[in-house]
Structures are given as structure tokens and as C-alpha cells.
């Protein structure tokens, strides 16, 4: 299934895409942690199969982030060998973990703002994992994959000077407002199946910048979820950004400026498009 949220910012309502591509109202309060924890995915699946969900007129509707109010956004850095190389970093022996403010999450087509004082705002197409159940000290890859509710496209927008040249931790180059477009929808894990064979692509102003595959992750989805559960409790509705392939501005392209357009896609997960503005 493809779950999404539609409507003006702050007034989104949950929906599902049916087999014919029509939007249907799922009658749930929100697509949030409580929804995933209470078996919401299966409730919607049953209702969709029964044909009981009313159609929503989609024309002109904004698409919001497919997860409302994630409890946390956990990110994995340097998780593709080619990206580590272009960053001048060694291939990590364990996952590089950092946090991104949850209020960076916006809709897949919303405006991305270059922060005030920024000269190095960058893009990163990433496979996002949405957690579907509470995870503590998972012991196996099978347990880890069973805890995944679904997947989405994430743009882990980054300010490289703030991240790398201003001291402290990476978070302050990752947590500026609008720095995590997510969506257009959450595709449930059963529909994706194998998450390690998905193509990821990103264009800036129509020019292809990133063209990679999740099969080239250093640490795959199962290991990332298992590993993180050893250090923190993952909760339903949490989002994990799993890293980006080569082709970011840090590797030698011009950084983003107001008026630029980013377009992103991942196989089976849809497409995003953001215009860049100035904060």
C-alpha cells in the first residue's frame, strides 16, 4: 500500500492510493506513532480490500509528509563507499549515527530554504525507513526487517559549513528548517520486499547529480535497524535516513541557491520536487 497525507500544511488528512491510483480517505486521525503501534496499517489494508473507503478529489491537493510528527529522525552518515570517498572520509567500521531535528520534516514538494548565512547548502537523496513497532536490543536481521512499517524518499538537506567547519556535532548542519522533505508516500514494507536493490536518483536544475543503488550501502537496512536498537529505543513512527550515494555538492558541484530546483526519485517510492528559497 501507499499511505500519504494530503491538504494544507498543518491540516493534512491521511489517505491511501488504491490500485487505480485514486486517493481514498482512510478515516484515521493521523499517520503517526499511535497509528503504527495500534495496527493501523492492517486496518487500512482490510478497509481497502473491502472497498469501503470514500474517494478524495485529488486535484490541487498538496501532499504532506507521509508521517506526522515523527518522534525522532535518526540518520546514518557515510553509508555508501563512493560518498565516503568524495567526502574525503574513511569507510566507517560501524554506522555513523547522528540525529536530525524532527521538525525539519516537510512535504515532498514543499519549498526548501537556504538558511541565513549559508553558502554550502547541499542535497542528499536517501532511502528512509519508517519504524512500525518498538525496538529494543534486536537480536537478528529478521527481527529488524519485521519492525519496518515501510519506506519513503528522503532528501537529507545539509549545510556543509555548519556541519563540518563550525565545530561541534553534525546536527547543526542538518537541522535547519525545511531540511527533510519526505514522501510523497510511505510504501508499506510488503510492497517493496527487498530494500537493497532500489535505484536512487537526484537532479538539480534538470542535471543528474546522484545515480546510485541501495545495494551499495555499507550497512544495509536490516543491520541499521538492528544496530540502532542497541543504543536507543526505536519507536513507531520514527524515521531513519539510511545514507546517500555519491554526487552531492560537497563532492565538487555548485551548492544550492534560491531558485534552484531539486528532483528526486527512488524505484517504487515515487518522486519529489522542491524549489529552493531563501530563509
Amino acid at each position: 500500500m501507499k499511505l500519504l497525507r494530503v491538504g494544507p500544511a498543518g491540516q493534512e488528512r491521511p489517505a491511501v492510493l488504491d490500485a487505480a491510483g485514486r486517493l481514498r480517505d482512510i478515516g484515521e486521525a493521523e499517520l503517526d506513532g499511535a497509528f503504527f503501534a495500534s495496527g493501523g496499517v492492517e486496518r487500512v489494508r482490510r478497509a481497502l480490500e473491502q472497498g469501503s473507503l470514500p474517494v478524495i478529489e485529488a486535484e490541487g491537493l498538496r501532499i504532506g509528509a507521509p508521517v506526522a510528527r515523527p518522534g525522532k529522525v535518526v540518520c546514518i552518515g557515510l553509508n555508501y563507499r563512493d560518498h565516503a570517498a568524495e567526502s574525503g572520509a574513511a569507510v566507517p567500521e560501524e554506522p555513523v549515527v547522528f540525529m536530525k531535528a524532527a521538525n525539519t520534516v516537510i512535504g515532498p514538494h514543499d519549498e526548501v530554504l537556504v538558511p541565513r548565512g549559508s553558502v554550502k547548502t547541499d542535497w542528499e537523496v536517501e532511502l528512509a525507513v519508517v519504524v512500525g513497532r518498538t525496538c529494543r536490543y534486536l537480536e537478528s536481521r529478521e527481527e529488524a526487517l519485521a519492525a519496518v512499517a515501510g519506506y519513503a524518499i528522503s532528501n537529507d538537506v545539509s549545510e556543509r559549513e555548519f556541519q563540518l567547519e563550525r565545530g561541534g556535532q553534525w546536527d547543526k548542519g542538518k537541522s535547519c528548517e525545511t531540511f527533510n522533505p519526505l514522501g510523497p508516500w510511505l510504501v508499506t514494507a510488503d510492497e517493496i520486499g527487498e530494500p537493497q536493490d532500489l535505484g536512487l536518483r537526484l537532479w538539480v536544475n534538470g542535471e543528474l547529480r546522484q545515480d546510485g543503488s541501495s545495494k551499495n550501502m555499507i550497512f544495509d537496512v536490516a543491520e541499521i535497524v538492528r544496530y540502532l536498537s542497541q543504543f536507543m529505543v526505536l519507536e513507531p513512527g520514527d524515521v531513519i535516513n539510511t545514507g546517500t550515494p555519491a554526487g552531492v555538492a560537497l563532492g565538487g558541484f555548485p551548492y544550492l541557491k534560491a531558485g534552484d530546483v531539486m528532483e528526486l526519485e527512488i524505484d517504487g517510492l515515487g518522486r519529489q520536487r522542491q524549489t529552493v528559497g531563501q530563509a
Side-chain angles (χ1 to χ4, degrees):
M1 291 191 302
K2 294 181 175 67
L3 299 168
L4 66 163
R5 298 167 64 247
V6 295
Q11 302 176 44
E12 298 93 344
R13 55 174 166 163
V16 63
L17 278 178
D18 68 16
R22 293 171 297 196
L23 272 181
R24 292 187 176 269
D25 191 330
I26 65 174
E28 295 279 345
E30 260 300 9
L31 299 182
D32 56 10
F35 169 84
F36 295 109
S38 64
V41 170
E42 289 309 313
R43 285 198 302 275
V44 173
R45 192 188 309 280
R46 288 194 298 270
L48 187 62
E49 291 172 350
Q50 293 165 3
S52 60
L53 301 177
V55 173
I56 299 172
E57 178 54 55
E59 187 172 354
L61 274 182
R62 169 187 171 271
I63 300 177
V67 179
R69 301 182 295 276
K72 54 185 173 288
V73 179
V74 188
C75 303
I76 306 299
L78 305 173
N79 198 31
Y80 288 72
R81 285 179 172 79
D82 55 1
H83 176 57
E86 73 176 350
S87 302
V91 173
E93 295 183 5
E94 293 192 41
V96 174
V97 179
F98 62 93
M99 308 295 285
K100 189 162 192 163
N103 65 2
T104 59
V105 174
I106 60 172
H109 310 306
D110 290 347
E111 184 181 44
V112 168
L113 298 176
V114 172
R116 295 178 186 179
S118 166
V119 294
K120 294 184 179 180
T121 296
D122 204 346
W123 57 84
E124 293 189 15
V125 59
E126 304 202 8
L127 175 64
V129 173
V130 178
V131 178
R133 63 183 69 171
T134 301
C135 302
R136 292 183 178 86
Y137 300 110
L138 300 180
E139 295 182 356
S140 71
R141 297 171 55 82
E142 291 74 22
E143 281 184 292
L145 288 178
V148 175
Y151 302 93
I153 303 171
S154 182
N155 189 354
D156 178 20
V157 185
S158 310
E159 212 297 338
R160 301 303 188 184
E161 183 188 20
F162 298 175
Q163 176 190 354
L164 302 171
E165 302 173 33
R166 298 288 295 274
Q169 299 182 348
W170 284 10
D171 303 40
K172 65 187 179 186
K174 297 283 189 171
S175 292
C176 304
E177 63 177 330
T178 74
F179 264 28
N180 205 138
L182 188 69
W185 39 67
L186 180 155
V187 181
T188 51
D190 62 296
E191 183 168 328
I192 291 299
E194 174 53 65
Q196 300 307 147
D197 192 21
L198 303 176
L200 301 84
R201 292 164 290 275
L202 182 145
W203 295 260
V204 178
N205 299 328
E207 296 185 6
L208 185 64
R209 293 288 188 244
Q210 294 184 272
D211 187 6
S213 171
S214 60
K215 68 184 178 183
N216 296 323
M217 286 182 181
I218 298 168
F219 305 102
D220 65 11
V221 167
E223 175 57 14
I224 288 168
V225 175
R226 187 208 66 79
Y227 181 88
L228 290 175
S229 77
Q230 311 305 308
F231 300 95
M232 65 185 76
V233 177
L234 298 174
E235 297 180 326
D238 285 351
V239 174
I240 304 170
N241 290 338
T242 59
T244 197
V248 299
L250 180 65
F253 293 110
Y255 288 99
L256 294 168
K257 63 183 184 306
D260 286 342
V261 175
M262 293 179 285
E263 297 173 275
L264 301 75
E265 67 179 19
I266 296 180
D267 295 345
L269 298 181
R271 193 174 177 94
Q272 297 184 356
R273 184 182 189 275
Q274 299 105 34
T275 299
V276 177
Q278 180 65 55

